[in-house]
Amino acid sequence: MAEALRRSADGGLSDPGKDFDLPGYRLLVSSLFSSPASIVPGGIAGILTPFLCWLSSDKHLFLNLTVLVALIVSLRLMTVISYRRKDHSEDSLRETRRWDREYFFGATAFSAVLGYSCYAALALTDDAAAHITSVASTIALASGYVSRNAGRPKFVAVQILTFCIPMAVGLIQAHNVYYQYIGYFAFLYVAANIAITNSLHRNLLALSDATKQSKALASALHSQNLTLDAALNTMIHGLAMFDRDLKLAVSNAPYRALYGIPETLALPGTPLTAIARFLIERQIIGAEQVRDVRGALVAVQDMQQTMTRELQTRGGRVLVITIAPAAEGGVLMLTEDATERKATEARIEQMARFDELTGLANRFEFNNHITEAFGRLERTGEAFALLYVDLDGFKQVNDNLGHDIGDRVLSETASRLKSTIRGGDLLARFGGDEFLLILPSASHAVVTNIAQRMIDAMSKVFHLDTKSVYVTASVGIAMAPHDGATPVDLLRHADTALYKAKAAGRNTLTFFNPAMAEEMLDRHEIEVDLRKACDDGALELYYQPIIDLKTHEIVTREALMRWHHPTRGMIPPGVFIPIAEQSGLIAAMGNWAIRQACKDAAQWGNEIGVSVNISPLQFREPRRIVETVKDALITSHLGSHRLTLEVTESLLIEDNKSTLAVIDELRALGVRFALDDFGTGYSSLAYLSTYPFAQVKIDQSFTRNVHTNEASKAIIEAVCQLARRLSMNVVVEGIETEQQRIAVQLLGAQRAQGYLFGRPEPLSAFFPDKGRKIA
């Protein structure tokens, strides 16, 4: 910048260059016009100099020179006045140069006329008064130029030369020998003044540089302070730093807001004791909590290790405090308002372990308890009973009165069943209208008594608004270890006993008996027919669309297996799928479903994907399922990204390592995975973080009353938020009304499935002549 100013001062403006300092040039030019008060006395002195010479010598030359000087001074004053009447902060280089030249020409003309006047007085007259007046005026005016125009050294040099050279020549040409000595000395005077001008100019440039650097530094520091202040105060968490004496060094707005601290206690230097006293007096947090936090601050100072504390304010907020060592013995305290996060975690954990509708333990919690019960049985020999409770006629309630009434029946059922059991018994909702009860240390008589109490409790009428609903219960009972040595066996035998109770007329209880030949025969007949159906190609795939809620377009079709029995009619998947799993048929059926679904989807001719449900038993043959998927994709020419495999939480419990290995290998091919029926089974959050799911499907039980039930809304919203953070899509199942669609979309769901968008249909229903059965 100094170099640019120096070029300006030296008049090097023909090619200023891109780094030319125009503001600095404006400043130098402005300095020329900054002091009209000095120009007026100088101008008067300049006018008087030839005028006095005329009076003394009576030569008309000086009178003419007086008039000429007066004219030049007038023009210069007009230029100064014209310049100062305008704002020159935005002047262009051309305009600034014009003012510079006008000043230069005026000052040079002024000095040239006075220089000639001095020469004429010395060389053309012998009048001592004229001599003294001219020399004194010339030296005085030249010295004034040095001090006033030091910002423009070229101007000063020119003007001193036009002043003093004529004076020196006149002195040398004078008839007085002493004048000649003074004339030669005048050249030294000129050189000295030019040197002084250059020195003053360098000092001026240095001062200008220093001023600008100081301003730039102050501006940068101010900007940094504003940036730091903005960063601190826009942080999500509260921040406070204390020095080695535990006095407040710095804090931000969230810190003050979290603790309700006034500005007077947030000033640097405020002792921690004053802040603590305020928090206790205002009952924001308790004295014991304050002592604990202060102890942690001191401990961090001593050990130089980070610590965390969690406390709850009297207002109910949960604060998580992280304390870390800072420079020079200080400590940094970061406070997070974890109220919402903790509440969300609690809601999701509640959803993971307990049924949202009834508040009972869900499958995951039941699985833990039955595993513990078998563990106690092995350690202590403590027997227990498993009761499988199923509501009689509940399907009719749902079909005839709607899901809202059905949900209220289920909620009331849970209350009635809980009222009949003991404190240490575990009651769980297994899904739908099925409930499980574990009775530890219970004899046959005790079990019978509790089961009958449950039946009696359920036999009473349900009064729901203006409706009276009758729902009874059937109970199947299996005793461990006599009726089963593993959780799977015991549950299956309790289920068998339940079927027997249903067959016996419902609203009754039945203990498992290995001799239940009728039930077993029926299951055997279905199994035999199912094997024949697989061989004969009698199984079909139906497809139900999954919709993108934003675009309302179909993004995927879920493949659902159907079996039309020649005599029994359409057998529900809930009947033949469990039999297929128990009989070992599920692997072949599942592998066929994958191949056929890929083949059908390839015929759709667009980017709509297909999803296929996978049984946990298929993962017991890892290589087989991997090869099946590869072969299905290659044979059908279906893009791997269009295939989604849906699994349930039951798969993830059996063998995490082998399951994850299969999932990772298939994902490497481009196949996607979805977690099905989230919220009704085990629903552990660990599954979402451990397994690379692309999609989570929320069970339809949360959809039925989503527009009226705040708990359902909160859970769906929490799952959507969690899935979004994990980059997963959320599909909400069971959408039957437009009201439900709007509700789940507002809660953050991206996709939906249900009768509102389409029922399961064979391929021929939406692609005529393309549907086919198993080959």
Side-chain angles (χ1 to χ4, degrees):
M1 181 186 70
E3 182 61 28
L5 287 175
R6 188 173 291 109
R7 289 203 310 271
S8 302
D10 293 340
L13 301 178
S14 60
D15 184 14
K18 61 182 178 181
D19 59 344
F20 177 71
D21 183 13
L22 179 58
Y25 181 40
R26 290 197 200 105
L27 181 64
L28 290 178
V29 173
S30 176
S31 68
L32 301 176
F33 296 92
S34 61
S35 181
S38 64
I39 294 178
V40 172
I44 294 174
I47 296 171
L48 290 176
T49 298
F51 181 74
L52 293 175
C53 289
W54 173 66
L55 292 177
S56 175
S57 66
D58 199 29
K59 286 185 175 293
H60 289 284
L61 172 65
F62 293 107
L63 182 60
N64 294 333
L65 291 175
T66 300
V67 174
L68 181 59
V69 171
L71 178 61
I72 293 172
V73 169
S74 299
L75 292 174
R76 291 191 68 197
L77 286 175
M78 291 173 61
T79 300
V80 171
I81 293 171
S82 176
Y83 179 88
R84 292 178 60 84
R85 282 181 175 176
K86 299 178 181 179
D87 178 14
H88 300 277
S89 60
E90 299 297 329
D91 278 2
S92 65
L93 175 62
R94 182 175 182 179
E95 292 171 327
T96 306
R97 183 183 298 177
R98 179 175 64 82
W99 289 111
D100 192 16
R101 285 174 175 171
E102 285 191 19
Y103 187 91
F104 173 74
F105 291 143
T108 302
F110 178 76
S111 58
V113 172
L114 290 180
Y116 175 75
S117 175
C118 182
Y119 168 79
L122 293 170
L124 302 180
T125 72
D126 293 325
D127 187 86
H131 295 170
I132 294 173
T133 300
S134 297
V135 172
S137 176
T138 299
I139 293 174
L141 290 172
S143 298
Y145 269 76
V146 170
S147 60
R148 192 166 65 82
N149 295 338
R152 306 292 281 134
K154 177 182 177 181
F155 286 11
V156 173
V158 171
Q159 289 152 18
I160 287 178
L161 289 173
T162 54
F163 262 129
C164 297
I165 294 301
M167 178 188 72
V169 172
L171 288 170
I172 292 171
Q173 291 181 0
H175 302 294
N176 188 319
V177 66
Y178 293 105
Y179 280 16
Q180 295 174 1
Y181 295 150
I182 295 173
Y184 292 120
F185 177 75
F187 290 104
L188 294 178
Y189 172 78
V190 170
N193 275 278
I194 291 175
I196 291 172
T197 301
N198 290 330
S199 176
L200 289 175
H201 178 64
R202 285 192 298 271
N203 291 338
L204 179 62
L205 292 180
L207 178 61
S208 176
D209 265 351
T211 301
K212 290 193 175 183
Q213 289 175 3
S214 175
K215 288 181 179 180
L217 182 61
S219 176
L221 183 60
H222 179 66
S223 177
Q224 289 179 355
N225 287 338
L226 290 177
T227 302
L228 178 60
D229 186 62
L232 286 175
N233 290 311
T234 54
M235 288 177 62
I236 298 175
H237 304 323
L239 181 141
M241 183 181 291
F242 295 89
D243 61 19
R244 65 173 61 253
D245 298 322
L246 294 184
K247 292 182 179 179
L248 187 64
V250 66
S251 65
N252 65 357
Y255 162 79
R256 297 190 292 272
L258 286 173
Y259 294 98
I261 295 175
E263 292 286 345
T264 53
L265 288 179
L267 299 175
T270 303
L272 176 64
T273 53
I275 299 174
R277 189 182 310 113
F278 170 83
L279 296 176
I280 295 172
E281 289 176 354
R282 296 298 178 91
Q283 297 186 345
I284 296 172
I285 56 177
E288 185 63 32
Q289 293 173 310
V290 170
R291 283 192 292 270
D292 180 52
V293 173
R294 191 182 190 285
L297 290 169
V298 174
V300 169
Q301 281 185 312
D302 295 338
M303 297 185 296
Q304 292 294 293
Q305 292 182 347
T306 301
M307 291 185 177
T308 60
R309 289 291 187 272
E310 183 176 314
L311 56 88
Q312 186 167 0
T313 68
R314 298 289 175 83
R317 285 192 296 184
V318 178
L319 303 181
V320 176
I321 302 173
T322 302
I323 304 171
E328 300 181 356
V331 285
L332 185 68
M333 188 172 81
L334 193 68
T335 304
E336 174 196 0
D337 185 353
T339 308
E340 290 298 325
R341 177 169 63 84
K342 291 290 184 179
T344 299
E345 290 174 356
R347 287 198 303 269
I348 297 178
E349 184 62 25
Q350 176 76 11
M351 180 185 68
R353 298 179 55 204
F354 297 95
D355 178 61
E356 185 270 335
L357 177 63
T358 63
L360 299 178
N362 63 7
R363 290 191 182 190
F364 177 71
E365 191 72 1
F366 165 79
N367 185 72
N368 289 338
H369 278 268
I370 198 169
T371 301
E372 292 172 2
F374 272 102
R376 286 194 303 271
L377 174 63
E378 185 177 349
R379 294 191 306 269
T380 67
E382 177 185 300
F384 65 95
L386 176 62
L387 280 66
Y388 203 137
V389 183
D390 184 83
L391 302 187
D392 306 320
F394 180 74
K395 184 178 184 303
Q396 288 75 14
V397 172
N398 260 347
D399 292 344
N400 298 329
L401 302 179
H403 292 298
D404 290 343
I405 296 297
D407 288 346
R408 293 175 63 181
V409 169
L410 291 174
S411 181
E412 177 63 23
T413 295
S415 299
R416 293 187 183 186
L417 295 180
K418 282 194 295 185
S419 68
T420 66
I421 64 178
R422 304 168 301 178
D425 302 335
L426 175 79
L427 180 64
R429 184 187 176 199
F430 200 58
D433 60 342
E434 299 175 344
F435 298 84
L436 292 172
L437 175 63
I438 298 175
L439 297 179
S441 302
S443 64
H444 191 283
V446 171
V447 173
T448 302
N449 183 41
I450 293 177
Q452 190 58 52
R453 289 209 306 262
M454 298 174 96
I455 293 172
D456 293 340
M458 292 302 300
S459 63
K460 298 176 182 178
V461 64
F462 289 82
H463 295 289
L464 304 174
D465 298 332
T466 60
K467 297 178 178 62
S468 296
V469 177
Y470 293 90
V471 174
T472 60
S474 297
V475 183
I477 306 168
M479 305 290 290
H482 181 267
D483 296 332
T486 66
V488 173
D489 289 341
L490 193 66
L491 181 60
R492 185 173 68 251
H493 292 160
D495 187 26
T496 299
L498 175 63
Y499 275 107
K500 185 63 176 178
K502 293 278 191 181
R506 304 184 178 184
N507 195 29
T508 187
L509 63 94
T510 301
F511 282 85
F512 174 75
N513 184 344
M516 294 176 175
E518 183 179 352
E519 179 72 23
M520 302 303 293
L521 178 60
D522 188 54
R523 282 176 169 262
H524 178 69
E525 290 177 353
I526 293 178
E527 179 184 337
V528 171
D529 292 342
L530 183 58
R531 289 183 184 276
K532 188 174 185 301
C534 291
D535 294 337
D536 296 343
L539 296 179
E540 297 181 83
L541 287 184
Y542 279 40
Y543 295 94
Q544 185 176 26
I546 296 175
I547 303 298
D548 186 303
L549 289 173
K550 287 186 178 179
T551 64
H552 302 287
E553 295 181 351
I554 298 175
V555 293
T556 307
R557 291 188 176 98
E558 181 181 2
L560 302 169
M561 194 173 294
R562 294 292 184 263
W563 177 25
H564 191 279
H565 193 277
T567 59
R568 298 173 183 256
M570 190 67 76
I571 297 181
V575 173
F576 71 84
I577 293 297
I579 295 176
E581 291 179 334
Q582 294 166 14
S583 63
L585 291 171
I586 192 65
M589 294 167 57
N591 292 338
W592 166 79
I594 293 174
R595 290 193 297 269
Q596 188 62 44
C598 289
K599 184 176 180 181
D600 290 345
Q603 299 179 65
W604 297 341
N606 53 38
E607 285 301 308
I608 296 176
V610 63
S611 62
V612 184
N613 292 282
I614 302 298
S615 169
L617 298 178
Q618 291 178 257
F619 281 83
R620 293 183 180 179
E621 299 181 74
R623 296 317 313 162
R624 183 177 180 183
I625 189 172
V626 170
E627 292 304 321
T628 297
V629 172
K630 288 182 178 179
D631 180 67
L633 293 173
I634 293 172
T635 303
S636 65
H637 303 289
L638 182 73
S640 58
H641 66 282
R642 293 176 60 189
L643 175 61
T644 299
L645 301 180
E646 297 189 11
V647 300
T648 60
E649 295 108 334
S650 59
L651 163 69
L652 310 180
I653 291 176
E654 294 183 359
D655 186 356
N656 289 339
K657 291 183 179 179
S658 63
T659 298
L660 185 57
V662 172
I663 291 176
D664 285 342
E665 185 171 357
L666 292 175
R667 284 185 71 251
L669 300 176
V671 177
R672 301 177 182 179
F673 280 83
L675 181 60
D676 196 14
D677 295 335
F678 187 80
T680 59
Y682 304 96
S683 303
S684 173
L685 297 180
Y687 299 149
L688 297 182
S689 60
T690 303
Y691 293 89
F693 294 114
Q695 188 164 272
V696 179
K697 299 185 75 175
I698 299 177
D699 187 72
Q700 60 184 343
S701 60
F702 297 98
T703 309
R704 295 168 185 163
N705 57 353
V706 66
H707 53 282
T708 58
N709 188 295
E710 292 300 323
S712 292
K713 290 181 181 178
I715 290 173
I716 292 176
E717 183 176 24
V719 173
C720 290
Q721 291 176 353
L722 178 62
R724 188 179 301 111
R725 291 185 179 181
L726 297 176
S727 300
M728 300 177 184
N729 287 320
V730 174
V731 178
V732 182
E733 299 177 312
I735 302 298
E736 298 181 357
T737 66
E738 184 68 15
Q739 195 173 18
Q740 291 172 343
R741 180 196 67 78
I742 294 172
V744 299
Q745 186 171 3
L746 291 176
L747 293 174
Q750 300 105 326
R751 298 177 178 180
Q753 182 178 13
Y755 288 173
L756 178 64
F757 311 112
R759 294 175 178 271
E761 294 179 322
L763 184 64
S764 59
F766 48 92
F767 286 105
D769 302 326
K770 289 189 177 182
R772 69 183 300 276
K773 298 183 179 182
I774 183 171

